[in-house]
Structure formats: structure tokens, C-alpha cells
Amino acid sequence: MPDYQTFNMLQRHKAQLRDSVQLNSGIKLAAWFNSGDRVTNLSDHHTLSLYTADGYDTWHKTQHGWRNGGGPDRFCLMPSGTESVWDIRADLSFVHLYCTDQHLRLMAEQIWDRDAARLNLHEKVFSDDDRITQLYRHFLLSTDWQQPANQLMLSSASTLLMTHLLQHYSDVQWQAPQVRGGLAPIVLRRILAYIDEHLDQPLTLAQLAGEAALSEFHFARMFRTSAGIAPHQYVMRRRMDEALTLLKHTALPLTDIALRCGFHSSSHFSNRFRQLHGVTPSLWRQQQG
């Protein structure tokens, strides 16, 4: 797994790490808080940052002097090899996505089937992008990163973010290829069976795409065409369906049911169940009796 220099650098400063997770692909997410800190950074990887709260008194050093422009939902893109200096004079909460050049090149080659030998991202500071904000807030910031059951959502959102960077903030700026039609029926049946057989495991988009012999980008879109919902939504639905079956037809403790359905803890399982059904699993079971 990659060792991300920006992550390590921030840990040596005043920044407080609120949460972090490294996905199976090697991509890493980290949520930070910082205040009253001067940071100089030069890394060998890409960093996509979204300010989630405050940041109004955050300054970036340019060749023309210090520039201020931070605030909630502003994003910064620091490509590999870009040196930046920051003066964080007041509170700032932000979330980082770290990926390598290899991650982006592999994704570009899989999606567009082109040689991505020359692939450069553009530096962006205090910029606005509704799509980046939506993906961060709707998928990444609304999800418990430590729960294996959420790995598929996290990996899906990360793939969408990186695809967006390639399309809008790189030298290539290739248009997203048209994906017509869904998965072949035999492939769809194989994928659905694979999901059911591995509900107790932290499934990822890469795993499912690999089973279909497709890139993550093409698989996600073809699966949605065939199933009517995104892969992470389908998997969560199957986890909940299995939980209902076990609650109704077995006397298994909630902890065992949670583990069988891919939830790391009974509390996480109970929270998701209550969001969907309006009652806790234990109360739902009582009502069935």
C-alpha cells in the first residue's frame, strides 16, 4: 500500500486526524482539523481536499503574495510534485483523498482504453465544483469509514471523484465514454450470486468489476442499467434482506446477524436497520412474533 507523504506530514504538525481509511485499491481518505499552523508541503502523490467547515482565515502563498479564499465546500487539488505553503490562522475542517499517479493512469487506461503516459493534473486552490462537493458530502462524509459494509460506497465514490478529475482537471480532459446496455444476463447472474455468497465480507467496486472482467467505471454504469440501482445500493439492499430473513426465521443474536450481513458491529447494523425500517432490529423481531 502507498505511504502518503501529505498524511505523514500533517501528523507531524498541529493537525488533528479525525478519521482515516485506506481502501483496498490503496487510495486513502483522511478527515482533519487544524488551526494556528503553518504548513509547507511537497509530495509524490495527488491530494484532493474539500473544506467541510470554516477555513475562512486560511491563506495560500503564491508568487504574488498570500491569498485568502477558503470556506466550506471550497476544494484544492495539489498534483504530485507541487509545492504549496499554507498559513491556517483559524479553525479549518477538511477531508483529503490521496491517490498516486499510477492510480490515475490505470483508471484512464481502463476507462478510455488509451495510453495515459502523459497525464498531468492541474493545481486548483480555493475552487468551487458542485460535483466534487456532492460526492464528498453525499457519499464520503455521510458514511462511517470504519465499517466494512461501507467499503463499496467509499470505493465507488472515490472512483467517481478520480474520474471527474481526469475529465475536468487534467491535460487529457477526455469525455466520459458512452456506456450503452447493461451486463449480459449470464454475467449479471454471476455477479448477483457472488454478492450473495460474500455478504459477510467488505465488498469493493474493484472486486465486483473484476468478476465481470470490466473496468470499475463501465461495470458501475452497466450494473445500474441492468439492476436499476447502483452496486453499493444493491449490496446494502441484499444485506438488509438477509438480515430480515435471519431475524424472522432464526433465533440468532443480533451480533451474529450483523456479522453474517457484513456489518462490523451490532450498533452499526441497528442504526442502518432503523434508518430503513423505522424501528430497531430487536423491536422488529418482537413485532413479528
Side-chain angles (χ1 to χ4, degrees):
M1 290 291 183
D3 186 30
Y4 292 106
Q5 294 177 355
T6 300
F7 181 88
N8 295 333
M9 177 275 298
L10 286 173
Q11 287 193 305
R12 295 193 297 269
H13 280 258
K14 294 181 179 179
Q16 301 172 23
L17 181 64
R18 296 288 171 82
D19 201 2
S20 70
V21 62
Q22 191 141 357
L23 306 178
N24 288 350
S25 61
I27 296 166
K28 189 165 190 168
L29 303 170
W32 299 94
F33 171 83
N34 205 355
S35 186
D37 202 3
R38 177 74 67 90
V39 176
T40 300
N41 188 41
L42 174 62
S43 63
D44 59 359
H45 60 81
H46 308 296
T47 302
L48 176 61
S49 172
L50 182 78
Y51 290 12
T52 55
D54 302 314
Y56 300 105
D57 206 9
T58 298
W59 297 76
H60 174 243
K61 189 174 185 180
T62 72
Q63 59 181 347
H64 305 295
W66 290 95
R67 177 187 170 221
N68 170 273
D73 294 335
R74 295 293 173 89
F75 84 92
C76 301
L77 176 58
M78 295 291 110
S80 173
T82 302
E83 184 175 37
S84 57
V85 182
W86 307 86
D87 191 3
I88 305 166
R89 303 175 186 176
D91 291 357
L92 168 63
S93 297
F94 57 103
V95 61
H96 276 172
L97 181 150
Y98 308 116
C99 68
T100 66
D101 215 41
Q102 183 179 4
H103 285 132
L104 286 179
R105 292 180 194 281
L106 179 60
M107 176 174 289
E109 291 167 2
Q110 288 178 338
I111 294 175
W112 287 276
D113 193 23
R114 300 187 192 178
D115 182 8
R118 294 185 178 182
L119 181 61
N120 298 305
L121 292 181
H122 303 155
E123 180 181 0
K124 293 289 178 180
V125 178
F126 303 141
S127 297
D128 294 294
D129 188 310
D130 291 341
R131 181 60 170 161
I132 291 175
T133 298
Q134 177 200 33
L135 289 170
Y136 263 120
R137 290 199 177 275
H138 183 68
F139 291 103
L140 300 182
L141 299 179
S142 65
T143 303
D144 185 342
W145 293 357
Q146 303 309 316
Q147 295 300 333
N150 292 331
Q151 284 292 303
L152 184 55
M153 180 183 288
L154 295 175
S155 62
S156 298
S158 298
T159 295
L160 290 173
L161 277 168
M162 292 167 59
T163 304
H164 187 78
L165 295 183
L166 287 172
Q167 291 179 262
H168 298 278
Y169 303 106
S170 74
D171 288 346
V172 294
Q173 294 192 343
W174 296 323
Q175 293 299 311
Q178 294 296 316
V179 178
R180 295 183 176 87
L183 300 168
I186 189 172
V187 175
L188 179 61
R189 287 195 297 270
R190 184 169 73 245
I191 295 300
L192 299 185
Y194 181 88
I195 290 171
D196 282 346
E197 292 167 4
H198 297 83
L199 283 179
D200 62 331
Q201 299 177 25
L203 292 165
T204 67
L205 191 61
Q207 284 176 290
L208 299 182
E211 286 295 310
L214 292 167
S215 72
E216 295 176 31
F217 176 89
H218 287 89
F219 171 77
R221 280 152 182 76
M222 294 170 73
F223 184 95
R224 180 187 283 274
T225 298
S226 295
I229 55 177
H232 72 270
Q233 293 172 318
Y234 177 83
V235 170
M236 187 55 69
R237 177 188 291 179
R238 288 297 303 126
R239 294 190 196 280
M240 289 290 102
D241 288 346
E242 180 66 12
L244 287 175
T245 299
L246 294 174
L247 284 168
K248 187 172 183 178
H249 298 292
T250 76
L252 286 171
L254 293 185
T255 300
D256 291 350
I257 292 177
L259 293 175
R260 288 196 184 193
C261 296
F263 297 95
H264 188 63
S265 67
S266 57
S267 61
H268 180 225
F269 165 56
S270 294
N271 289 337
R272 293 305 296 261
F273 191 96
R274 187 170 59 248
Q275 289 173 5
L276 186 63
H277 297 287
V279 295
T280 63
S282 57
L283 181 57
W284 187 91
R285 175 181 261 173
Q286 292 174 14
Q287 292 173 347
Q288 304 310 303

